[in-house]
Amino acid sequence: MFRFRQPSVLPGFGLTLGFTLGYLGLIVLIPLAMAFTQAFHLSWDQFWHTVTAPRVLASYRLTFGAAFLAAVINTGFGFIIAWVLVRYPFPGKRLVDALVDLPFALPTAVAGITLAAIYSSNGWIGHALKPLGIKIAFTPLGVIVALVFISLPFVVRTVQPVLEDLEAEVEEAAASLGADRWQIFWRVIFPAVRPALLTGFTLAFARAIGEYGSVIFIAGNLPMISEITPLLIVSKLEQYDYSGAAAVSVVMLVISFMLLLVINLLQRWSRIRNGWEAVT
């Protein structure tokens, strides 16, 4: 018979469960419920008109599109960085490993100002790209650069422990059986790190969707061009349009939840498939 209360070496199940539910309610559920409550002050026609305005739709496309591209870029390059940090000794390795966590510690506003200064037309990188006709600062491309910067550590730190646990002898065994490098990567390494890559992609994508501080300084914030949805919500709040801001927030919340749900289902499918392949 199923027992809801499982035995544990730690006492106080009722107290800890109550604290957990109460804490999650105060920090997560109640604020989210208030956003829905505020949005419901609008009629359905007002709500639909607010969340489907051309300016709002343009901000959705930029926010989710840039977050997706940044997560994809970081999934590839984050794997490479994690691979180098795990598999190769080189001078300054500890410094490089510490620099990966810099976006965690650096205030987002400082990151945004720094990126805008570097990638502007007068910056070190922006000045070199200007003759090529490439403009990064104050364009949607600048938004992608900022989101790549702040979400990179999520992929690296998710994949790195998995690569550390992956024994090199497995790759050597595959090579001794005649597998080439591509076959070793595709048949041995990639299946082992695929769930971690999906997890890192999910974390990077979720982090990029809600980013604000590092983006507003490099985006240019031009409506219909380089305005992200979090900035649009702040603009509505500054105009005392609380219901409109809540309505846009609810749409972002629902879309984000659906996307993360799909990604989590893919993670579950990947784990099940890996387990089936290990059995067979």
Side-chain angles (χ1 to χ4, degrees):
M1 184 177 66
F2 175 76
R3 298 178 61 187
F4 176 74
R5 183 174 178 177
Q6 299 294 332
S8 173
V9 296
L10 298 177
F13 171 78
L15 178 63
T16 53
L17 178 61
F19 175 80
T20 301
L21 296 178
Y23 187 81
L24 290 177
L26 291 174
I27 301 300
V28 179
L29 298 180
I30 293 178
L32 294 181
M34 292 304 297
F36 280 90
T37 301
Q38 187 66 42
F40 289 157
H41 289 169
L42 301 173
S43 65
W44 172 250
D45 291 337
Q46 292 174 328
F47 178 87
W48 184 254
H49 177 75
T50 299
V51 301
T52 58
R55 181 179 176 183
V56 178
L57 292 177
S59 71
Y60 292 154
R61 288 192 292 268
L62 177 61
T63 299
F64 288 100
F68 179 81
L69 289 176
V72 170
I73 293 171
N74 279 334
T75 300
F77 286 97
F79 172 78
I80 295 174
I81 294 173
W83 178 269
V84 171
L85 291 176
V86 171
R87 292 303 177 92
Y88 302 108
F90 56 90
K93 179 178 178 178
R94 291 183 179 272
L95 177 61
V96 175
D97 189 55
L99 288 176
V100 171
D101 293 328
L102 184 61
F104 282 149
L106 192 66
T108 56
V110 175
I113 294 173
T114 304
L115 292 174
I118 294 176
Y119 288 100
S120 64
S121 299
N122 299 325
W124 295 345
I125 300 178
H127 181 73
L129 296 176
K130 186 176 180 180
L132 302 176
I134 302 175
K135 184 179 181 181
I136 296 180
F138 315 123
T139 67
L141 185 57
V143 177
I144 298 176
V145 170
L147 296 182
V148 168
F149 175 81
I150 59 98
S151 60
L152 175 64
F154 290 93
V155 178
V156 177
R157 295 312 184 204
T158 304
V159 176
Q160 191 173 359
V162 178
L163 290 176
E164 290 175 348
D165 293 337
L166 185 61
E167 298 293 340
E169 288 78 4
V170 179
E171 302 167 39
E172 295 173 358
S176 66
L177 294 175
D180 56 28
R181 292 186 177 182
W182 174 250
Q183 290 174 326
I184 292 174
F185 172 78
W186 190 251
R187 298 292 183 88
V188 178
I189 299 175
F190 182 73
V193 301
R194 182 169 53 197
L197 284 173
L198 284 174
T199 301
F201 174 86
T202 303
L203 295 175
F205 180 70
R207 177 69 178 88
I209 287 176
E211 178 58 20
Y212 176 77
S214 64
V215 176
I216 58 174
F217 292 100
I218 194 175
N221 308 321
L222 298 177
M224 307 294 295
I225 298 177
S226 59
E227 183 180 46
I228 59 174
T229 305
L231 176 62
L232 183 60
I233 294 173
V234 173
S235 299
K236 288 183 176 293
L237 291 175
E238 292 176 346
Q239 299 169 6
Y240 302 102
D241 184 10
Y242 300 118
S243 297
V248 177
S249 301
V250 166
V251 171
M252 279 204 67
L253 175 64
V254 172
I255 296 176
S256 301
F257 177 79
M258 295 303 296
L259 291 174
L260 293 178
L261 178 62
V262 171
I263 295 173
N264 285 330
L265 291 176
L266 289 175
Q267 288 177 314
R268 183 173 181 271
W269 169 81
S270 179
R271 287 193 295 267
I272 293 175
R273 182 175 179 179
N274 285 343
W276 174 256
E277 290 176 349
V279 172
T280 57

